[in-house]
Protein backbone atom coordinates (compact mmCIF):
# COMPACT_ATOMS: atom_id res chain seq x y z
CA UNK A 1 0.00 0.00 0.00
CA UNK A 2 1.47 3.40 -0.99
CA UNK A 3 1.72 6.30 1.41
CA UNK A 4 -0.98 8.21 -0.45
CA UNK A 5 -3.41 5.27 -0.51
CA UNK A 6 -2.77 4.62 3.19
CA UNK A 7 -3.44 8.25 4.05
CA UNK A 8 -6.58 8.30 1.91
CA UNK A 9 -7.90 5.15 3.56
CA UNK A 10 -7.39 6.70 6.98
CA UNK A 11 -9.07 9.93 5.91
CA UNK A 12 -12.01 7.93 4.60
CA UNK A 13 -12.43 6.44 8.07
CA UNK A 14 -12.40 9.96 9.51
CA UNK A 15 -14.94 11.14 6.95
CA UNK A 16 -17.20 8.21 7.85
CA UNK A 17 -16.98 9.26 11.49
CA UNK A 18 -17.74 12.86 10.58
CA UNK A 19 -20.67 11.75 8.43
CA UNK A 20 -22.09 9.86 11.37
CA UNK A 21 -21.67 12.92 13.62
CA UNK A 22 -23.14 15.42 11.16
CA UNK A 23 -26.06 13.25 10.05
CA UNK A 24 -29.57 14.31 11.12
CA UNK A 25 -30.22 13.28 14.70
CA UNK A 26 -31.74 9.82 14.87
CA UNK A 27 -34.39 8.63 17.27
CA UNK A 28 -31.79 7.03 19.54
CA UNK A 29 -29.41 9.11 21.63
CA UNK A 30 -25.72 9.17 20.85
CA UNK A 31 -23.34 7.46 23.25
CA UNK A 32 -22.11 10.89 24.36
CA UNK A 33 -25.63 11.88 25.36
CA UNK A 34 -26.18 8.57 27.12
CA UNK A 35 -22.88 8.75 28.98
CA UNK A 36 -23.87 12.16 30.38
CA UNK A 37 -27.37 10.98 31.33
CA UNK A 38 -28.70 9.45 34.54
CA UNK A 39 -31.60 7.33 33.35
CA UNK A 40 -31.90 4.80 30.57
CA UNK A 41 -34.45 5.51 27.86
CA UNK A 42 -36.71 3.00 26.18
CA UNK A 43 -34.94 0.67 23.69
CA UNK A 44 -31.51 1.34 25.22
CA UNK A 45 -29.88 -1.90 26.31
CA UNK A 46 -27.24 -0.63 28.73
CA UNK A 47 -28.04 1.97 31.38
CA UNK A 48 -25.87 5.11 31.46
CA UNK A 49 -24.03 3.65 34.45
CA UNK A 50 -23.34 0.35 32.65
CA UNK A 51 -22.35 2.25 29.53
CA UNK A 52 -19.81 4.31 31.50
CA UNK A 53 -18.42 1.13 33.05
CA UNK A 54 -18.10 -0.52 29.64
CA UNK A 55 -16.38 2.58 28.24
CA UNK A 56 -13.92 2.51 31.13
CA UNK A 57 -13.16 -1.16 30.38
CA UNK A 58 -12.54 -0.33 26.72
CA UNK A 59 -10.28 2.56 27.69
CA UNK A 60 -8.37 0.22 29.99
CA UNK A 61 -7.72 -2.08 27.03
CA UNK A 62 -6.09 0.72 25.05
CA UNK A 63 -4.33 2.32 28.03
CA UNK A 64 -0.81 3.14 26.75
CA UNK A 65 0.66 2.39 30.17
CA UNK A 66 -0.14 -1.34 29.97
CA UNK A 67 1.71 -3.92 27.92
CA UNK A 68 0.34 -5.55 24.78
CA UNK A 69 -0.08 -8.78 26.75
CA UNK A 70 -2.10 -7.09 29.50
CA UNK A 71 -4.09 -5.14 26.93
CA UNK A 72 -4.89 -8.39 25.15
CA UNK A 73 -5.96 -9.99 28.43
CA UNK A 74 -8.36 -7.11 29.12
CA UNK A 75 -9.69 -7.35 25.56
CA UNK A 76 -10.29 -11.08 26.08
CA UNK A 77 -12.36 -10.31 29.21
CA UNK A 78 -14.55 -7.94 27.19
CA UNK A 79 -14.88 -10.52 24.42
CA UNK A 80 -16.07 -13.06 27.02
CA UNK A 81 -18.72 -10.57 28.17
CA UNK A 82 -19.70 -9.97 24.53
CA UNK A 83 -20.22 -13.69 23.94
CA UNK A 84 -22.93 -13.73 26.63
CA UNK A 85 -24.47 -10.36 25.73
CA UNK A 86 -27.74 -9.97 23.85
CA UNK A 87 -27.84 -8.29 20.43
CA UNK A 88 -28.80 -4.86 21.82
CA UNK A 89 -25.96 -4.91 24.36
CA UNK A 90 -23.50 -5.86 21.64
CA UNK A 91 -24.68 -2.93 19.56
CA UNK A 92 -23.98 -0.59 22.48
CA UNK A 93 -20.40 -1.86 22.48
CA UNK A 94 -20.13 -1.21 18.74
CA UNK A 95 -21.42 2.32 19.23
CA UNK A 96 -18.94 3.03 22.00
CA UNK A 97 -16.02 1.87 19.85
CA UNK A 98 -17.32 3.77 16.82
CA UNK A 99 -18.13 7.07 18.56
CA UNK A 100 -15.73 7.30 21.51
CA UNK A 101 -12.45 6.16 19.98
CA UNK A 102 -12.16 8.20 16.80
CA UNK A 103 -9.14 10.32 15.82
CA UNK A 104 -8.84 13.91 17.03
CA UNK A 105 -10.44 15.82 14.15
CA UNK A 106 -8.69 19.09 15.06
CA UNK A 107 -5.25 17.46 15.02
CA UNK A 108 -6.02 15.66 11.75
CA UNK A 109 -7.13 18.86 10.02
CA UNK A 110 -4.02 20.69 11.19
CA UNK A 111 -1.75 17.83 10.11
CA UNK A 112 -3.51 17.56 6.74
CA UNK A 113 -3.10 21.29 6.13
CA UNK A 114 0.62 21.01 6.97
CA UNK A 115 0.94 18.02 4.65
CA UNK A 116 -0.80 19.79 1.75
CA UNK A 117 1.43 22.83 2.26
CA UNK A 118 4.57 20.70 2.37
CA UNK A 119 3.91 18.71 -0.81
CA UNK A 120 6.86 18.99 -3.17
CA UNK A 121 9.12 20.53 -0.54
CA UNK A 122 11.88 19.15 1.66
CA UNK A 123 9.41 19.06 4.57
CA UNK A 124 7.01 16.68 2.83
CA UNK A 125 8.38 13.58 4.55
CA UNK A 126 8.15 14.95 8.08
CA UNK A 127 4.68 16.37 7.36
CA UNK A 128 3.54 12.95 6.18
CA UNK A 129 4.84 11.38 9.41
CA UNK A 130 2.85 13.89 11.49
CA UNK A 131 -0.27 13.19 9.46
CA UNK A 132 0.18 9.44 9.85
CA UNK A 133 0.48 9.82 13.61
CA UNK A 134 -2.60 12.04 13.77
CA UNK A 135 -4.62 9.46 11.83
CA UNK A 136 -3.75 6.56 14.16
CA UNK A 137 -6.86 6.73 16.32
CA UNK A 138 -7.46 5.09 19.69
CA UNK A 139 -9.95 2.89 17.81
CA UNK A 140 -7.13 1.44 15.72
CA UNK A 141 -5.08 0.61 18.80
CA UNK A 142 -8.14 -0.82 20.53
CA UNK A 143 -8.90 -3.23 17.69
CA UNK A 144 -5.25 -4.20 17.44
CA UNK A 145 -5.32 -5.27 21.06
CA UNK A 146 -8.44 -7.33 20.50
CA UNK A 147 -6.56 -9.08 17.69
CA UNK A 148 -3.58 -9.76 19.95
CA UNK A 149 -5.00 -12.50 22.16
CA UNK A 150 -5.52 -16.09 20.90
CA UNK A 151 -8.93 -16.17 19.25
CA UNK A 152 -9.06 -12.39 18.96
CA UNK A 153 -8.98 -12.36 15.17
CA UNK A 154 -11.88 -14.79 15.07
CA UNK A 155 -13.75 -12.49 17.46
CA UNK A 156 -13.23 -9.41 15.26
CA UNK A 157 -14.16 -11.18 12.01
CA UNK A 158 -17.36 -12.51 13.57
CA UNK A 159 -18.11 -9.12 15.10
CA UNK A 160 -17.96 -7.43 11.69
CA UNK A 161 -20.12 -10.15 10.13
CA UNK A 162 -22.74 -9.36 12.77
CA UNK A 163 -22.23 -5.62 12.33
CA UNK A 164 -22.59 -5.37 8.54
CA UNK A 165 -26.38 -5.94 8.32
CA UNK A 166 -26.91 -3.11 10.82
CA UNK A 167 -25.07 -0.42 8.86
CA UNK A 168 -27.97 0.56 6.64
CA UNK A 169 -30.12 1.44 9.64
CA UNK A 170 -27.41 3.00 11.80
CA UNK A 171 -24.85 5.25 10.13
CA UNK A 172 -23.10 5.87 13.43
CA UNK A 173 -21.51 2.45 13.02
CA UNK A 174 -19.87 3.32 9.69
CA UNK A 175 -16.61 4.46 11.26
CA UNK A 176 -16.14 1.15 13.10
CA UNK A 177 -16.89 -0.82 9.95
CA UNK A 178 -14.46 1.27 7.88
CA UNK A 179 -11.74 0.81 10.52
CA UNK A 180 -12.23 -2.96 10.60
CA UNK A 181 -12.19 -3.27 6.81
CA UNK A 182 -9.02 -1.20 6.62
CA UNK A 183 -7.27 -3.30 9.28
CA UNK A 184 -8.44 -6.56 7.74
CA UNK A 185 -7.06 -5.47 4.36
CA UNK A 186 -3.64 -5.32 5.99
CA UNK A 187 -3.91 -8.31 8.32
CA UNK A 188 -5.28 -10.56 5.56
CA UNK A 189 -2.94 -9.40 2.82
CA UNK A 190 -2.10 -12.26 0.48
CA UNK A 191 1.52 -12.10 1.63
CA UNK A 192 0.34 -13.58 4.94
CA UNK A 193 -1.91 -16.26 3.45
CA UNK A 194 -1.01 -19.89 2.82
CA UNK A 195 -2.36 -21.80 -0.18
CA UNK A 196 -3.27 -25.33 0.86
CA UNK A 197 -4.71 -28.28 -1.02
CA UNK A 198 -7.89 -29.69 0.48
CA UNK A 199 -8.36 -33.38 -0.28
CA UNK A 200 -10.39 -36.34 0.89
CA UNK A 201 -7.46 -37.11 3.22
CA UNK A 202 -7.69 -33.72 4.93
CA UNK A 203 -9.01 -33.62 8.51
CA UNK A 204 -12.76 -34.25 8.68
CA UNK A 205 -13.29 -30.92 10.44
CA UNK A 206 -11.77 -29.13 7.44
CA UNK A 207 -13.71 -31.11 4.86
CA UNK A 208 -16.93 -30.30 6.72
CA UNK A 209 -16.14 -26.61 6.18
CA UNK A 210 -16.52 -27.16 2.42
CA UNK A 211 -20.08 -28.36 2.97
CA UNK A 212 -20.82 -25.43 5.25
CA UNK A 213 -19.40 -22.68 3.05
CA UNK A 214 -20.02 -23.91 -0.52
CA UNK A 215 -21.85 -20.94 -2.05
CA UNK A 216 -22.18 -21.80 -5.76
CA UNK A 217 -23.34 -25.42 -6.04
CA UNK A 218 -24.67 -26.87 -2.81
CA UNK A 219 -22.96 -30.06 -1.66
CA UNK A 220 -25.80 -32.56 -1.30
CA UNK A 221 -24.05 -35.45 0.42
CA UNK A 222 -20.74 -36.99 1.40
CA UNK A 223 -20.74 -38.83 -1.93
CA UNK A 224 -21.12 -35.50 -3.71
CA UNK A 225 -18.22 -34.08 -1.72
CA UNK A 226 -16.04 -37.12 -2.40
CA UNK A 227 -16.70 -36.70 -6.12
CA UNK A 228 -15.48 -33.10 -5.92
CA UNK A 229 -12.27 -34.30 -4.27
CA UNK A 230 -11.66 -37.23 -6.65
CA UNK A 231 -8.40 -37.91 -8.50
CA UNK A 232 -9.33 -35.66 -11.44
CA UNK A 233 -10.31 -32.77 -9.18
CA UNK A 234 -8.44 -30.29 -7.06
CA UNK A 235 -9.59 -28.02 -4.27
CA UNK A 236 -7.44 -25.19 -2.93
CA UNK A 237 -7.98 -22.72 -0.13
CA UNK A 238 -6.29 -19.67 1.37
CA UNK A 239 -5.57 -19.93 5.12
CA UNK A 240 -4.45 -17.32 7.66
CA UNK A 241 -2.25 -18.14 10.69
CA UNK A 242 -4.83 -16.65 13.07
CA UNK A 243 -7.59 -18.85 11.60
CA UNK A 244 -5.52 -21.98 10.93
CA UNK A 245 -8.29 -24.48 10.23
CA UNK A 246 -10.68 -22.13 8.45
CA UNK A 247 -10.36 -21.54 4.69
CA UNK A 248 -10.97 -17.88 3.91
CA UNK A 249 -11.84 -18.73 0.31
CA UNK A 250 -11.66 -21.94 -1.68
CA UNK A 251 -11.88 -22.93 -5.31
CA UNK A 252 -12.95 -26.24 -6.83
CA UNK A 253 -11.24 -27.33 -10.06
CA UNK A 254 -12.05 -30.05 -12.60
CA UNK A 255 -9.32 -31.35 -14.91
CA UNK A 256 -10.77 -32.13 -18.34
CA UNK A 257 -9.79 -32.55 -21.98
CA UNK A 258 -12.18 -29.83 -23.21
CA UNK A 259 -13.90 -26.71 -21.89
CA UNK A 260 -16.99 -27.65 -19.87
CA UNK A 261 -20.36 -26.35 -21.12
CA UNK A 262 -22.64 -27.91 -18.49
CA UNK A 263 -22.29 -28.24 -14.73
CA UNK A 264 -24.19 -31.52 -14.40
CA UNK A 265 -21.40 -33.84 -15.64
CA UNK A 266 -19.05 -32.20 -13.17
CA UNK A 267 -21.47 -32.90 -10.30
CA UNK A 268 -22.30 -36.44 -11.46
CA UNK A 269 -21.22 -38.71 -8.62
CA UNK A 270 -21.29 -41.77 -10.87
CA UNK A 271 -19.09 -40.36 -13.63
CA UNK A 272 -15.73 -42.04 -14.16
CA UNK A 273 -12.67 -39.89 -13.36
CA UNK A 274 -10.97 -38.17 -16.26
CA UNK A 275 -7.66 -39.48 -17.59
CA UNK A 276 -5.16 -36.99 -16.18
CA UNK A 277 -2.67 -37.90 -18.91
CA UNK A 278 -5.07 -36.40 -21.45
CA UNK A 279 -6.23 -33.40 -19.40
CA UNK A 280 -5.41 -30.10 -21.02
CA UNK A 281 -8.14 -27.92 -19.47
CA UNK A 282 -8.60 -26.75 -15.89
CA UNK A 283 -12.14 -25.60 -15.13
CA UNK A 284 -12.77 -23.46 -12.05
CA UNK A 285 -16.40 -24.31 -11.36
CA UNK A 286 -16.91 -22.99 -7.83
CA UNK A 287 -15.26 -20.18 -5.85
CA UNK A 288 -16.64 -19.55 -2.36
CA UNK A 289 -15.77 -16.90 0.21
CA UNK A 290 -16.31 -18.22 3.71
CA UNK A 291 -16.06 -15.22 6.03
CA UNK A 292 -18.82 -12.62 5.82
CA UNK A 293 -16.81 -10.41 8.15
CA UNK A 294 -14.10 -10.06 5.50
CA UNK A 295 -16.41 -8.46 2.95
CA UNK A 296 -14.45 -5.94 0.90
CA UNK A 297 -11.13 -7.70 1.49
CA UNK A 298 -10.05 -9.04 -1.89
CA UNK A 299 -7.95 -12.16 -2.25
CA UNK A 300 -9.89 -14.10 -4.88
CA UNK A 301 -7.76 -12.82 -7.74
CA UNK A 302 -4.57 -13.86 -5.98
CA UNK A 303 -6.09 -17.26 -5.25
CA UNK A 304 -6.69 -17.94 -8.95
CA UNK A 305 -3.18 -16.84 -9.88
CA UNK A 306 -1.60 -19.05 -7.24
CA UNK A 307 -3.78 -22.00 -8.20
CA UNK A 308 -2.87 -21.63 -11.88
CA UNK A 309 0.82 -21.66 -10.95
CA UNK A 310 0.33 -24.73 -8.75
CA UNK A 311 -1.62 -26.61 -11.42
CA UNK A 312 0.91 -25.84 -14.15
CA UNK A 313 3.70 -27.16 -11.95
CA UNK A 314 1.81 -30.41 -11.30
CA UNK A 315 0.30 -30.83 -14.79
CA UNK A 316 2.55 -29.29 -17.48
CA UNK A 317 0.11 -30.37 -20.21
CA UNK A 318 -2.58 -27.97 -19.01
CA UNK A 319 -3.01 -25.26 -21.63
CA UNK A 320 -6.45 -23.81 -20.95
CA UNK A 321 -7.66 -22.24 -17.70
CA UNK A 322 -11.29 -21.24 -17.63
CA UNK A 323 -14.36 -21.10 -15.42
CA UNK A 324 -17.86 -22.45 -15.69
CA UNK A 325 -19.66 -19.68 -13.88
CA UNK A 326 -23.20 -18.71 -12.88
CA UNK A 327 -24.84 -15.50 -14.07
CA UNK A 328 -26.57 -14.51 -10.82
CA UNK A 329 -28.09 -11.20 -11.88
CA UNK A 330 -29.44 -12.17 -15.29
CA UNK A 331 -33.02 -13.05 -14.42
CA UNK A 332 -33.94 -9.88 -12.47
CA UNK A 333 -32.19 -7.78 -15.13
CA UNK A 334 -34.26 -9.41 -17.87
CA UNK A 335 -37.51 -8.55 -16.12
CA UNK A 336 -36.59 -4.88 -16.43
CA UNK A 337 -34.86 -4.92 -19.82
CA UNK A 338 -36.77 -7.27 -22.14
CA UNK A 339 -39.09 -4.49 -23.46
CA UNK A 340 -36.04 -2.46 -24.49
CA UNK A 341 -34.13 -5.46 -25.88
CA UNK A 342 -37.02 -6.45 -28.13
CA UNK A 343 -36.71 -3.11 -29.93
CA UNK A 344 -33.22 -4.16 -31.12
CA UNK A 345 -34.56 -7.07 -33.16
CA UNK A 346 -35.09 -6.49 -36.86
CA UNK A 347 -38.42 -7.29 -38.51
CA UNK A 348 -37.33 -10.79 -39.56
CA UNK A 349 -36.04 -11.69 -36.09
CA UNK A 350 -39.12 -10.26 -34.40
CA UNK A 351 -41.44 -12.15 -36.72
CA UNK A 352 -39.62 -15.47 -36.14
CA UNK A 353 -39.78 -14.97 -32.37
CA UNK A 354 -43.47 -14.10 -32.60
CA UNK A 355 -44.27 -17.25 -34.57
CA UNK A 356 -42.51 -19.40 -31.96
CA UNK A 357 -44.47 -17.70 -29.17
CA UNK A 358 -47.73 -17.80 -31.17
CA UNK A 359 -48.13 -14.08 -30.67
CA UNK A 360 -47.16 -11.43 -33.22
CA UNK A 361 -45.65 -9.04 -32.57
CA UNK A 362 -44.20 -10.61 -29.40
CA UNK A 363 -44.40 -8.56 -26.23
CA UNK A 364 -42.18 -8.58 -23.15
CA UNK A 365 -44.96 -10.26 -21.19
CA UNK A 366 -45.09 -13.20 -23.57
CA UNK A 367 -41.30 -13.53 -23.75
CA UNK A 368 -40.96 -13.50 -19.96
CA UNK A 369 -43.73 -16.05 -19.60
CA UNK A 370 -42.06 -18.36 -22.12
CA UNK A 371 -38.59 -18.23 -20.58
CA UNK A 372 -40.12 -18.88 -17.17
CA UNK A 373 -40.78 -22.50 -18.15
CA UNK A 374 -37.65 -24.60 -17.54
CA UNK A 375 -38.99 -27.69 -19.32
CA UNK A 376 -39.70 -25.64 -22.41
CA UNK A 377 -36.26 -24.03 -22.36
CA UNK A 378 -34.46 -27.35 -21.97
CA UNK A 379 -36.14 -28.71 -25.10
CA UNK A 380 -35.42 -25.76 -27.40
CA UNK A 381 -33.27 -26.54 -30.43
CA UNK A 382 -30.13 -24.60 -31.30
CA UNK A 383 -32.06 -22.77 -34.04
CA UNK A 384 -34.90 -21.67 -31.77
CA UNK A 385 -35.52 -17.88 -32.00
CA UNK A 386 -36.37 -17.79 -28.29
CA UNK A 387 -33.16 -19.60 -27.40
CA UNK A 388 -31.14 -17.24 -29.56
CA UNK A 389 -32.84 -14.20 -28.06
CA UNK A 390 -32.19 -15.32 -24.48
CA UNK A 391 -28.57 -16.18 -25.30
CA UNK A 392 -28.09 -12.76 -26.85
CA UNK A 393 -29.65 -11.18 -23.77
CA UNK A 394 -27.14 -13.00 -21.56
CA UNK A 395 -24.19 -11.92 -23.70
CA UNK A 396 -25.42 -8.32 -23.74
CA UNK A 397 -25.94 -8.35 -19.98
CA UNK A 398 -22.42 -9.62 -19.29
CA UNK A 399 -20.53 -7.54 -21.83
CA UNK A 400 -22.53 -4.36 -22.31
CA UNK A 401 -24.51 -3.61 -19.15
CA UNK A 402 -22.97 -1.24 -16.62
CA UNK A 403 -23.53 0.06 -13.13
CA UNK A 404 -21.63 3.31 -13.33
CA UNK A 405 -18.25 2.39 -14.79
CA UNK A 406 -18.39 -1.27 -13.69
CA UNK A 407 -19.89 -4.26 -15.45
CA UNK A 408 -23.21 -5.09 -13.86
CA UNK A 409 -22.87 -8.78 -13.04
CA UNK A 410 -20.85 -9.38 -9.83
CA UNK A 411 -19.25 -12.63 -11.03
CA UNK A 412 -18.30 -11.04 -14.35
CA UNK A 413 -16.88 -8.07 -12.46
CA UNK A 414 -14.67 -10.42 -10.45
CA UNK A 415 -13.29 -12.47 -13.33
CA UNK A 416 -12.93 -9.63 -15.83
CA UNK A 417 -11.18 -7.60 -13.16
CA UNK A 418 -8.68 -10.45 -12.86
CA UNK A 419 -7.90 -10.33 -16.57
CA UNK A 420 -10.24 -13.01 -17.92
CA UNK A 421 -12.50 -12.59 -20.93
CA UNK A 422 -16.07 -13.69 -21.63
CA UNK A 423 -15.51 -16.75 -23.77
CA UNK A 424 -18.82 -18.56 -24.31
CA UNK A 425 -22.47 -18.51 -23.22
CA UNK A 426 -23.72 -22.02 -22.39
CA UNK A 427 -27.37 -22.87 -22.93
CA UNK A 428 -29.25 -24.44 -20.01
CA UNK A 429 -25.98 -25.47 -18.39
CA UNK A 430 -27.39 -25.42 -14.85
CA UNK A 431 -30.91 -26.90 -14.69
CA UNK A 432 -30.95 -26.86 -10.88
CA UNK A 433 -33.56 -24.81 -9.05
CA UNK A 434 -30.90 -22.26 -8.14
CA UNK A 435 -29.57 -22.09 -11.70
CA UNK A 436 -33.03 -21.54 -13.16
CA UNK A 437 -33.84 -18.92 -10.54
CA UNK A 438 -30.65 -16.98 -11.21
CA UNK A 439 -30.31 -17.10 -14.97
CA UNK A 440 -32.91 -19.43 -16.54
CA UNK A 441 -30.19 -22.11 -16.45
CA UNK A 442 -27.58 -20.25 -18.54
CA UNK A 443 -23.91 -20.25 -17.53
CA UNK A 444 -20.77 -18.65 -18.93
CA UNK A 445 -17.13 -19.60 -19.46
CA UNK A 446 -14.55 -16.97 -18.53
CA UNK A 447 -11.18 -17.74 -20.14
CA UNK A 448 -7.92 -16.91 -18.41
CA UNK A 449 -5.51 -16.43 -21.32
CA UNK A 450 -2.27 -16.10 -19.37
CA UNK A 451 -0.57 -14.09 -22.10
CA UNK A 452 -3.34 -11.51 -22.33
CA UNK A 453 -4.38 -10.87 -18.72
CA UNK A 454 -2.82 -7.40 -18.62
CA UNK A 455 -4.29 -6.53 -22.01
CA UNK A 456 -7.76 -7.54 -20.84
CA UNK A 457 -7.43 -5.50 -17.64
CA UNK A 458 -6.41 -2.49 -19.74
CA UNK A 459 -9.46 -2.97 -21.96
CA UNK A 460 -11.72 -3.12 -18.91
CA UNK A 461 -10.15 0.03 -17.48
CA UNK A 462 -11.01 1.74 -20.76
CA UNK A 463 -14.65 0.71 -20.55
CA UNK A 464 -14.62 -2.38 -22.77
CA UNK A 465 -15.46 -5.80 -21.35
CA UNK A 466 -13.05 -8.34 -22.93
CA UNK A 467 -15.02 -10.96 -24.86
CA UNK A 468 -14.47 -13.50 -27.61
CA UNK A 469 -15.63 -12.67 -31.13
CA UNK A 470 -18.43 -15.25 -30.78
CA UNK A 471 -19.80 -13.48 -27.71
CA UNK A 472 -19.43 -10.03 -29.26
CA UNK A 473 -21.42 -11.22 -32.26
CA UNK A 474 -24.37 -11.84 -29.94
CA UNK A 475 -24.57 -8.26 -28.66
CA UNK A 476 -27.60 -6.20 -29.62
CA UNK A 477 -26.70 -3.30 -31.87
Amino acid sequence: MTATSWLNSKLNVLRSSALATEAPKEENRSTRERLDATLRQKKEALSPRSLRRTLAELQAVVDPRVSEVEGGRRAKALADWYAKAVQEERQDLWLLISEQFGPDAVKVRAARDDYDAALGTADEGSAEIRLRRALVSPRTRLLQRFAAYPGGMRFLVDLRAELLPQLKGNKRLLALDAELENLFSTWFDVAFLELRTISWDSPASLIEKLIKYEAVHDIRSWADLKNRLDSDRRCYGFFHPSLPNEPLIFVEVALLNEMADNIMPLLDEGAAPEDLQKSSVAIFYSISNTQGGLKGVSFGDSLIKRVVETLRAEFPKLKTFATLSPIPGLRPWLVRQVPELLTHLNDKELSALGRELSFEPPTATHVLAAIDQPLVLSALSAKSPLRLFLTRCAAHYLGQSRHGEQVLDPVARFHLGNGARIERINWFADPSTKGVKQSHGLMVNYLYDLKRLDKHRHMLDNGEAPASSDVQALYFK
Side-chain angles (χ1 to χ4, degrees):
M1 181 179 288
T2 64
T4 301
S5 63
W6 184 89
L7 293 172
N8 286 336
S9 69
K10 287 294 183 180
L11 287 168
N12 286 335
V13 172
L14 181 60
R15 292 189 188 102
S16 296
S17 182
L19 175 63
T21 302
E22 297 170 4
K25 189 173 180 179
E26 300 176 5
E27 178 183 352
N28 297 331
R29 296 185 295 181
S30 69
T31 54
R32 183 174 300 280
E33 292 171 324
R34 292 172 61 189
L35 288 165
D36 292 336
T38 302
L39 300 176
R40 174 173 49 195
Q41 288 188 356
K42 188 177 181 181
K43 295 183 179 180
E44 293 177 349
L46 297 179
S47 67
R49 181 179 179 181
S50 296
L51 202 67
R52 288 190 288 269
R53 183 176 65 250
T54 304
L55 176 60
E57 292 172 349
L58 287 167
Q59 291 170 334
V61 171
V62 79
D63 188 335
R65 296 170 297 180
V66 304
S67 67
E68 291 295 323
V69 173
E70 175 60 19
R73 188 194 66 78
R74 295 178 182 185
K76 174 65 165 58
L78 267 169
D80 290 342
W81 168 85
Y82 183 93
K84 301 175 183 177
V86 299
Q87 173 67 36
E88 292 76 15
E89 292 171 335
R90 293 180 176 189
Q91 182 158 306
D92 279 349
L93 182 74
W94 303 341
L95 288 168
L96 282 172
I97 298 173
S98 194
E99 295 185 328
Q100 299 300 316
F101 291 86
D104 187 321
V106 174
K107 291 182 179 180
V108 170
R109 280 195 293 270
R112 180 58 189 263
D113 290 342
D114 289 346
Y115 178 69
D116 288 342
L119 286 174
T121 72
D123 295 327
E124 179 179 340
S126 57
E128 179 188 324
I129 292 172
R130 290 194 297 273
L131 179 54
R132 282 178 177 269
R133 289 173 176 169
L135 285 166
V136 178
S137 68
R139 188 189 305 115
T140 300
R141 292 193 292 271
L142 177 64
L143 296 174
Q144 287 171 336
R145 288 197 164 174
F146 270 97
Y149 73 87
M153 193 71 77
R154 172 81 277 166
F155 168 77
L156 291 177
V157 171
D158 288 346
L159 184 151
R160 184 167 183 250
E162 192 177 3
L163 169 74
L164 284 171
Q166 309 301 321
L167 294 179
K168 187 174 182 180
N170 195 340
K171 293 182 177 180
R172 291 189 307 205
L173 297 172
L174 287 173
L176 172 57
D177 175 62
E179 191 87 64
L180 282 168
E181 182 178 347
N182 183 58
L183 287 171
F184 287 160
S185 295
T186 300
W187 292 340
F188 289 90
D189 185 88
V190 294
F192 304 124
L193 303 182
E194 176 191 3
L195 181 70
R196 286 162 52 184
T197 302
I198 304 172
S199 71
W200 189 248
D201 296 325
S202 298
S205 59
L206 176 55
I207 294 177
E208 288 173 351
K209 299 288 174 57
L210 301 185
I211 299 175
K212 177 181 179 181
Y213 292 124
E214 168 61 49
V216 183
H217 304 291
D218 293 339
I219 298 175
R220 304 178 300 274
S221 64
W222 284 101
D224 182 7
L225 178 58
K226 192 173 189 303
N227 174 58
R228 301 188 194 202
L229 301 175
D230 211 340
S231 60
D232 59 340
R233 305 297 180 87
R234 292 294 183 272
C235 181
Y236 302 94
F238 263 153
F239 292 79
H240 189 275
S242 294
L243 302 172
N245 298 312
E246 194 88 9
L248 307 179
I249 184 174
F250 62 89
V251 58
E252 298 167 56
V253 187
L255 304 177
L256 308 171
N257 56 20
E258 62 182 1
M259 191 179 300
D261 61 2
N262 192 295
I263 192 61
M264 301 314 290
L266 302 186
L267 302 181
D268 182 1
E269 300 166 17
E274 293 282 335
D275 183 354
L276 294 182
Q277 299 301 318
K278 298 180 180 179
S279 296
S280 60
V281 180
I283 293 292
F284 302 86
Y285 64 94
S286 179
I287 302 175
S288 299
N289 288 289
T290 70
Q291 307 299 313
L294 295 180
K295 181 180 179 181
V297 181
S298 176
F299 30 65
D301 56 339
S302 298
L303 174 68
I304 291 178
K305 294 172 189 172
R306 294 273 295 276
V307 168
V308 167
E309 293 171 0
T310 302
L311 286 170
R312 292 180 75 186
E314 185 177 0
F315 302 104
K317 291 183 179 180
L318 289 178
K319 303 300 181 185
T320 302
F321 298 89
T323 77
L324 181 59
S325 299
I327 314 176
L330 178 60
R331 184 167 183 155
W333 178 82
L334 279 170
V335 171
R336 301 187 302 270
Q337 297 298 323
V338 163
E340 166 66 20
L341 296 172
L342 284 172
T343 66
H344 292 276
L345 298 181
N346 59 40
D347 291 343
K348 183 178 179 180
E349 294 168 337
L350 202 61
S351 178
L353 180 60
R355 288 194 299 272
E356 185 172 27
L357 297 178
S358 300
F359 193 93
E360 295 189 59
T363 67
T365 299
H366 289 84
V367 170
L368 291 171
I371 63 177
D372 203 26
Q373 302 179 58
L375 292 178
V376 172
L377 293 183
S378 65
L380 293 179
S381 70
K383 295 182 179 181
S384 160
L386 180 60
R387 174 170 170 170
L388 177 58
F389 177 72
L390 184 52
T391 303
R392 294 183 67 186
C393 287
H396 196 87
Y397 166 70
L398 293 171
Q400 300 288 287
S401 298
R402 293 286 190 279
H403 177 68
E405 296 182 355
Q406 295 186 319
V407 293
L408 189 58
D409 186 78
V411 178
R413 192 158 57 241
F414 171 80
H415 289 296
L416 298 181
N418 292 338
R421 78 179 186 198
I422 309 168
E423 183 67 12
R424 184 175 65 191
I425 308 298
N426 299 300
W427 179 256
F428 215 67
D430 184 3
S432 70
T433 301
K434 184 177 182 180
V436 170
K437 184 177 181 179
Q438 288 184 331
S439 59
H440 300 287
L442 274 68
M443 299 187 77
V444 56
N445 297 119
Y446 296 103
L447 177 68
Y448 280 83
D449 185 336
L450 304 182
K451 295 181 180 180
R452 293 180 172 81
L453 298 182
D454 290 338
K455 175 184 177 181
H456 291 160
R457 290 194 195 94
H458 183 69
M459 291 173 60
L460 191 65
D461 289 341
N462 290 330
E464 180 182 356
S468 66
S469 57
D470 288 342
V471 170
Q472 293 182 46
L474 294 170
Y475 294 161
F476 293 106
K477 308 303 182 185

